Amino acid sequence: MPNLRDIKQRISSVSSTRQITRTMEMVATAKIKKAQERIESARPYALSMVEVLENVARYVQGASHPLLEEHAERKRIVIVSITSDRGLAGAFNSNILRITEDLMRSETQQGVATELVAVGKKAVSYLRYRGVEPLASYIDISDRPTFADARKIAGHIIPAYTEGDIDAAYVVFNRFKNVAEQKAEIYQLLPVERRVMETDEAEDRVHPEYIFEPSPATVLDRLLPTYVETQIYRSLMESAASEQGARRRAMKSATDNAGEIITTLTRSYNRARQAAITNEIAEIVGGAAALEDK
Amino acid sequence: MARTLMCEIVTPERIVYTNEVEMVVAPTLLGEVGVLPLHAPMVTVLVPGELRVRYNDNKDVEWFAISGGYMQVHEDKVIVLADNATHSSQIDIDRARQAKEHLEERMREIKAMTAEERDGLDECEFDLAWCEAQLKVAESHS
């Protein structure tokens, strides 16, 4: 028969855990909102940036720029894996690491060397465990990424690409679809896909004659790296929001589970208590009956 | 009322300023450029420096320190895409001055290194130019 005191102890330990998970759930809910606001406030810049890029691209027809050129051979690629610094967020980090791993494996099979840029403690410690030396690692930025962080990350990739050290760059991150849904995704950072520079609208739209200072080529030359930085920045921010979303969901189910465990435990506690009382009564009745018999 | 331009200054992090103005003067690669209403469509590269806007019959002026970026002019709308932008009244002079000293020292350290070791020179130059732009704007307009 289960010991009454043991059950009581378990109930109190589960309920204090539930308190923690519930608090974490609420904290994450509050943080999602802030992270979402940050994504929103970065949108005007990103939109205007794409608009300018499209305008420039129209003028530099068949534009050639090192960041647009696809390299003939694929020898070495860089993968930027964006994870979080903290755990307890469900499959948030493991999804990223799994995709990264899959990509590395399939590239290696084709004889392509892979380099990694690790963002977040989880990626860094996973790579250390796997014995992979990352090209660069960034920790303590995943909570509140800044544009300067994105620029630093881009600093490892853009020059390497222009100089031909690497032939492609990918980003693996959690896309923030909405509060309830985040999806681990992979996209190509470099070479910059040409379609980002093509407008969706039909050709017959009247385009204004733009003046470019100093020249369309110079503007494009400056604009493309900034575009890449903006992409990285956006991924970092979406990942930050997704982290909170994933944590909220993980903590919500942990809280719900704890509630269920408490219900079951309380039930068996009551049953055990009842059994103990019944036992006692039986003993008393038995004792009384024994005395009466005499 | 005079014809106006819609001026928007945005950084990757936020929208710094939006207002109907009469003139925008921005530091470009080829020197200062002033934009008045009815300006032809233009895209230009900005360098670190001072950007100013005039409004209210050119009586009111506001200054911003910007750290470079792009400016697009189209149909009386000016979009300034800056990496960093701060209004002259919000510049923290002491902090900028300290950062500048720190960066200048770092610059010397980097320059003392050999060519292979040189890391972060561009970044340092960029930050230094931004500090200088802030100081210049703050000192001349506060």
Side-chain angles (χ1 to χ4, degrees):
Chain A
M1 198 181 93
N3 188 331
L4 274 182
R5 223 183 49 199
D6 287 353
I7 300 180
K8 211 165 186 175
Q9 251 167 21
R10 277 204 64 195
I11 291 179
S12 79
S13 101
V14 172
S15 68
S16 61
T17 309
R18 180 172 65 169
Q19 232 161 34
I20 295 169
T21 57
R22 186 177 284 150
T23 314
M24 286 180 77
E25 182 192 333
M26 287 191 294
V27 170
T29 313
K31 281 190 177 170
I32 294 177
K33 218 164 171 265
K34 279 198 196 138
Q36 253 180 314
E37 278 163 16
R38 278 204 286 276
I39 295 181
E40 284 305 316
S41 57
R43 188 157 292 160
Y45 185 89
L47 288 179
S48 316
M49 164 117 253
V50 171
E51 196 190 318
V52 176
L53 198 59
E54 282 167 356
N55 284 332
V56 182
R58 261 201 308 278
Y59 282 84
V60 196
Q61 279 303 331
S64 74
H65 185 275
L67 296 182
L68 288 168
E69 294 306 314
E70 226 168 291
H71 293 181
E73 262 188 294
R74 246 169 107 88
K75 283 178 304 215
R76 213 154 150 254
I77 62 162
V78 171
I79 306 166
V80 182
S81 279
I82 304 175
T83 62
S84 65
D85 286 329
R86 297 197 194 104
L88 292 181
F92 180 83
N93 290 313
S94 50
N95 280 343
I96 294 296
L97 297 172
R98 183 173 44 80
I99 292 182
T100 309
E101 182 104 331
D102 287 350
L103 183 65
M104 279 170 75
R105 196 178 307 124
S106 69
E107 293 288 342
T108 315
Q109 271 167 6
Q110 292 166 35
V112 181
T114 53
E115 294 280 357
L116 280 167
V117 173
V119 179
K121 274 185 193 142
K122 294 290 155 184
V124 174
S125 59
Y126 176 78
L127 292 177
R128 190 179 305 135
Y129 161 72
R130 288 289 318 269
V132 180
E133 183 62 39
L135 196 65
S137 26
Y138 292 91
I139 53 172
D140 291 334
I141 65 164
S142 61
D143 225 19
R144 238 208 115 149
T146 63
F147 195 66
D149 296 327
R151 169 169 288 137
K152 271 187 216 147
I153 295 173
H156 291 286
I157 300 166
I158 296 175
Y161 190 82
T162 355
E163 283 158 25
D165 284 348
I166 58 168
D167 307 305
Y170 297 92
V171 175
V172 186
F173 78 117
N174 278 290
R175 188 177 288 287
F176 187 80
K177 290 197 164 163
N178 54 50
V179 180
E181 203 187 346
Q182 301 86 33
K183 197 166 173 288
E185 275 188 18
I186 176 163
Y187 73 86
Q188 179 177 319
L189 190 65
L190 286 175
V192 172
E193 287 172 56
R194 276 175 190 273
R195 63 180 165 75
V196 301
M197 295 176 50
E198 282 155 20
T199 28
D200 300 333
E201 284 125 302
E203 285 295 317
D204 56 349
R205 200 179 82 171
V206 184
H207 298 305
E209 280 290 320
Y210 273 91
I211 304 169
F212 290 94
E213 281 194 7
S215 69
T218 322
V219 175
L220 186 66
D221 199 43
R222 300 261 184 145
L223 212 49
L224 277 174
T226 317
Y227 173 76
V228 173
E229 284 160 9
T230 314
Q231 291 266 297
I232 297 176
Y233 182 55
R234 188 170 174 80
S235 315
L236 287 176
M237 278 193 308
E238 288 212 15
S239 169
S242 302
E243 178 192 347
Q244 301 307 335
R247 177 162 302 124
R248 194 188 74 147
R249 210 178 36 212
M251 288 302 112
K252 184 171 169 20
S253 63
T255 310
D256 293 349
N257 284 345
E260 259 168 52
I261 292 174
I262 289 173
T263 318
T264 343
L265 280 178
T266 314
R267 208 166 280 148
S268 52
Y269 174 78
N270 287 339
R271 194 173 296 135
R273 190 175 55 101
Q274 193 66 55
I277 293 168
T278 314
N279 216 5
E280 257 174 54
I281 292 175
E283 274 167 21
I284 293 167
V285 171
L291 283 176
E292 255 173 37
D293 278 353
K294 277 194 175 168
Chain B
M1 210 188 111
R3 205 183 159 100
T4 56
L5 286 160
M6 184 68 206
C7 176
E8 239 176 58
I9 303 176
V10 288
T11 66
E13 267 121 14
R14 68 207 167 93
I15 299 177
V16 178
Y17 182 79
T18 45
N19 197 10
E20 295 277 342
V21 301
E22 277 148 29
M23 180 168 165
V24 179
V25 181
T28 76
L29 266 181
L30 305 176
E32 279 204 326
V33 166
V35 179
L36 291 168
L38 297 173
H39 195 286
M42 173 175 78
V43 173
T44 162
V45 176
L46 303 182
V47 293
E50 172 193 295
L51 182 138
R52 58 183 184 274
V53 297
R54 289 177 167 274
Y55 55 95
N56 196 11
D57 279 332
N58 281 325
K59 281 191 289 247
D60 290 332
V61 189
E62 287 193 69
W63 294 273
F64 296 88
I66 62 164
S67 69
Y70 316 91
M71 175 169 74
Q72 176 175 281
V73 185
H74 181 214
E75 286 173 1
D76 283 351
K77 187 168 181 204
V78 179
I79 302 172
V80 177
L81 296 171
D83 301 323
N84 281 307
T86 316
H87 189 270
S88 61
S89 63
Q90 319 236 301
I91 296 171
D92 188 336
I93 300 185
D94 294 336
R95 219 178 118 196
R97 211 167 268 155
Q98 272 174 16
K100 190 184 165 199
E101 278 166 26
H102 175 78
L103 285 165
E104 275 168 344
E105 190 162 320
R106 176 130 175 73
M107 257 331 234
R108 278 194 291 275
E109 278 172 25
I110 293 174
K111 285 203 171 131
M113 288 185 219
T114 55
E116 305 100 71
E117 281 177 340
R118 240 174 234 190
D119 188 26
L121 183 68
D122 292 350
E123 206 183 310
C124 199
E125 267 171 358
F126 176 86
D127 290 344
L128 196 58
W130 166 230
C131 284
E132 277 163 359
Q134 283 184 85
L135 285 173
K136 197 187 123 204
V137 173
E139 277 158 7
S140 44
H141 303 294
S142 55

